[in-house]
Amino acid sequence: MLQERTTAPHPRPLTPAPARTVIGIDFGGTKTEIALAGPDGAVLRRRRLDTLAERGPDQILARAAETVRALAAEAEADLGAPVAAHAAVAPGVIQPDRILLTPNLPGWERLALADRLAGELDVPAVAVANDVRAGALAELRFGALRGVDPGMYVSLGTGIAAALTVGGRVLAGARHAAGEIGYMNPGDAPADAVALGRAPLEELVAGKGLSERALARLGVPLTATELFAGAEPAAKELAAETLTVLARALANLSVFVDPARIVLGGGMMASAATLLPALTRLVGQATPFPPELRTARFLKDASLHGALALALDSLDPLGTDVAAAPFTALRLEAIR
């Protein structure tokens, strides 16, 4: 992610630039993962911490910073490749001075994540991003959206969210809230459902909502994987309803955007053998120009790879660092 140049570009060095590494941090409600990667995005070292979200942000920020410093020391001592950039991702709508819609991380709603991490790590800047848009960036740089324009990434997990990629960038939105499709109204929710604190589409098609619906209808709280593998007529009926609602949402997005490909990631894609053919058929029937549907490359750690991609994007391709604006600082423009 580079700022526009205002001076002539640097001449290319006559000798190869020294090896560099980057560090990405993926903050989650349950776990926080930190990785060291080379210039090709390949993970060299990886660490996992318990987030302990109920204890607030200060303790995990401090522990993450300690882990980052240890990884940086290993990069220097063992690999001879200093860390050149850092990036972090987290759930929610990440704005410069706060994070909205992140109930699994209490206390983070008042956190200026980029500034706080830069201070913890004693570095000039840390690029930050929403975890799902970071997942889209990982697929765009290294995965199933590479060379696709425009493309769409949809994360199907406990919740549901999407990201649009155009011209090699991930769309942020005016308030950094692009892709919060869980709040879409599938047609049968009250017009004021969001004002009442609901996420209508997410309630119907995401993992948590599916489990609750299965409990209400079938008497057991099935996971999405169990539901889509179920042979009981009632389970098959609920699965079919879910796929129809999800396909309708994807079709509506496709009619507006006309993506070349939609990449599906997240935990629910453990049922890809069931989901992908059904969604391909249903979306194909509902759109005049159906996109290709494909399973994501990164199903379990897309946001971590997205953090690494974001860190790499913040580096000058000619070998010098730039003071790249944080992911959250961009308004009304796409995120590279």
Side-chain angles (χ1 to χ4, degrees):
M1 181 176 56
L2 305 177
Q3 289 181 324
E4 183 178 354
R5 291 184 180 276
T6 57
T7 59
H10 301 289
R12 290 193 178 275
L14 298 178
T15 57
R20 299 176 300 174
T21 54
V22 298
I23 288 179
I25 310 170
D26 175 18
F27 292 105
T30 301
K31 62 182 173 65
T32 292
E33 291 198 283
I34 304 170
L36 174 77
D40 59 353
V43 174
L44 303 173
R45 304 285 169 88
R46 188 165 176 164
R47 302 287 185 270
R48 172 174 172 162
L49 308 173
D50 292 331
T51 301
L52 305 177
E54 70 280 1
R55 299 183 184 179
D58 292 348
Q59 50 85 28
I60 185 57
L61 291 173
R63 288 189 290 122
E66 182 180 2
T67 302
V68 167
R69 287 189 288 270
L71 281 177
E74 291 181 24
E76 289 265 18
D78 300 342
L79 306 174
V83 173
H86 304 77
V89 304
V93 177
I94 302 178
Q95 298 183 346
D97 60 344
R98 57 183 177 170
I99 304 178
L100 305 177
L101 305 180
T102 182
N104 292 329
L105 291 172
W108 289 57
E109 62 273 8
R110 298 178 298 277
L111 183 66
L113 183 59
D115 290 345
R116 181 64 182 276
L117 281 173
E120 291 279 352
L121 297 173
D122 193 24
V123 295
V126 176
V128 298
N130 164 269
D131 55 356
V132 172
R133 285 196 294 277
L137 185 64
E139 294 294 333
L140 185 63
R141 295 289 180 261
F142 312 122
L145 285 175
R146 192 168 187 176
V148 175
D149 192 26
M152 190 181 302
Y153 172 76
V154 179
S155 177
L156 301 170
T158 304
I160 180 173
L164 179 65
T165 64
V166 181
R169 296 171 179 253
V170 182
L171 189 70
R175 300 167 188 85
H176 310 284
E180 295 289 342
I181 63 173
Y183 294 96
M184 290 174 58
N185 193 327
D188 56 358
D192 61 348
V194 174
L196 295 173
R198 295 179 55 190
L201 181 62
E202 188 167 281
E203 291 171 2
L204 293 178
V205 303
K208 182 180 179 182
L210 276 181
S211 181
E212 293 172 352
R213 292 173 69 209
L215 178 60
R217 187 178 300 190
L218 310 176
V220 289
L222 299 178
T223 66
T225 301
E226 292 168 340
L227 177 66
F228 290 118
E232 294 293 325
K236 294 177 71 173
E237 180 182 12
L238 179 56
E241 291 175 8
T242 301
L243 288 171
T244 298
V245 173
L246 177 57
R248 187 181 300 131
L250 296 179
N252 288 338
L253 292 169
S254 297
V255 168
F256 179 63
V257 175
D258 186 25
R261 180 182 297 161
I262 297 178
V263 170
L264 303 172
M268 285 174 58
M269 289 307 290
S271 302
T274 299
L275 268 64
L276 201 60
L279 290 174
T280 297
R281 174 178 56 83
L282 292 167
V283 172
Q285 293 171 345
T287 57
F289 302 101
E292 177 192 10
L293 270 65
R294 185 179 293 188
T295 302
R297 175 184 175 185
F298 303 108
L299 289 178
K300 295 182 179 180
D301 52 5
S303 48
L304 179 62
H305 286 277
L308 294 170
L310 182 60
L312 288 168
D313 275 11
S314 73
L315 293 176
D316 184 299
L318 298 179
T320 57
D321 295 351
V322 295
F327 213 110
T328 54
L330 302 183
R331 300 180 65 85
L332 292 173
E333 62 183 299
I335 295 175
R336 188 169 181 176

